[in-house]
Amino acid sequence: MEENQPKTGKFAFNYGLLLGIVSVIFGLMLYSMDLHYDQGWGIRSVSLVLALVAIFFGISQFKKANEGYLTISQALKIGAGIALIAGIIGLIYFFLLSNVIEPGYMDKMYEIGKAQAMADNPKLTEEQIDQGIEMQKGFAWLTYPIILIMNIIIGLILGLIAGLIFKKQKPAY
């Protein structure tokens, strides 16, 4: 007799979509308060907590739908899947923010980075910092895949932690 197991992809997609939407709402809230340039630990912590809640909740719901059983492999798939879907949605939002909503976003980020670099490295000349920024602009397209890869890594780590917490193997008999 074949059992009808729930699909990890369905849970990853649904909770990834939920996390992506909540993250975009959080981003729009930051934009409305003019805090979207802030890269501080407070904002990063809130984003990490949102991911943590979505991944843990998605994995626990999968376990419930799977008659209380969960393997670490399933938890890793769900965690990485949720992070991938949310990351794609986040990248679409970032693309729209930096090209449609606020076309000067990247230039402003470079200005903030320049001021920070000047404060952190007083021995560097303004020309050296400008040269570094120009080099960064040439590699700006790498931002998108790096963000996606980092999201997946975070999803794998959170999925592993959740898998270790929620793990319950089916009996062998």
Side-chain angles (χ1 to χ4, degrees):
M1 185 186 321
E2 191 173 311
E3 297 176 28
N4 191 11
Q5 282 194 322
K7 303 290 183 203
T8 56
K10 175 186 168 198
F11 285 84
F13 180 78
N14 289 340
Y15 288 94
L17 192 63
L18 181 66
L19 176 59
I21 291 169
V22 170
S23 296
V24 168
I25 291 169
F26 180 62
L28 290 171
M29 181 191 75
L30 291 174
Y31 177 76
S32 71
M33 296 185 324
D34 204 28
L35 292 173
H36 58 294
Y37 295 113
D38 187 4
Q39 299 295 319
W41 284 105
I43 291 172
R44 289 181 190 179
S45 298
V46 170
S47 297
L48 185 62
V49 167
L50 290 174
L52 179 91
V53 168
I55 290 172
F56 271 60
F57 194 67
I59 290 171
S60 71
Q61 291 303 306
F62 175 84
K63 181 180 176 182
K64 186 189 292 184
N66 196 28
E67 301 172 1
Y69 298 109
L70 176 77
T71 65
I72 291 179
S73 172
Q74 291 168 326
L76 287 170
K77 288 178 192 175
I78 295 168
I82 289 171
L84 175 65
I85 299 298
I88 290 170
I89 293 169
L91 285 177
I92 292 168
Y93 167 71
F94 180 72
F95 180 80
L96 290 173
L97 173 69
S98 60
N99 292 297
V100 177
I101 299 171
E102 188 174 342
Y105 177 80
M106 291 306 290
D107 292 331
K108 178 79 172 175
M109 287 301 294
Y110 290 129
E111 287 177 31
I112 292 169
K114 180 179 178 177
Q116 186 68 42
M118 292 176 95
D120 292 344
N121 305 298
K123 293 181 181 179
L124 290 178
T125 65
E126 190 169 345
E127 288 176 4
Q128 290 172 320
I129 293 173
D130 287 339
Q131 190 177 30
I133 288 173
E134 287 305 314
M135 191 185 326
Q136 275 184 325
K137 287 181 181 180
F139 293 106
W141 63 273
L142 281 174
T143 303
Y144 296 104
I146 289 171
I147 289 172
L148 203 54
I149 290 167
M150 290 305 297
N151 260 20
I152 293 169
I153 290 171
I154 290 169
L156 283 169
I157 292 168
L158 294 176
L160 176 63
I161 293 168
L164 291 170
I165 292 170
F166 295 128
K167 178 179 119 177
K168 184 177 179 191
Q169 296 284 352
K170 287 186 179 182
Y173 53 91

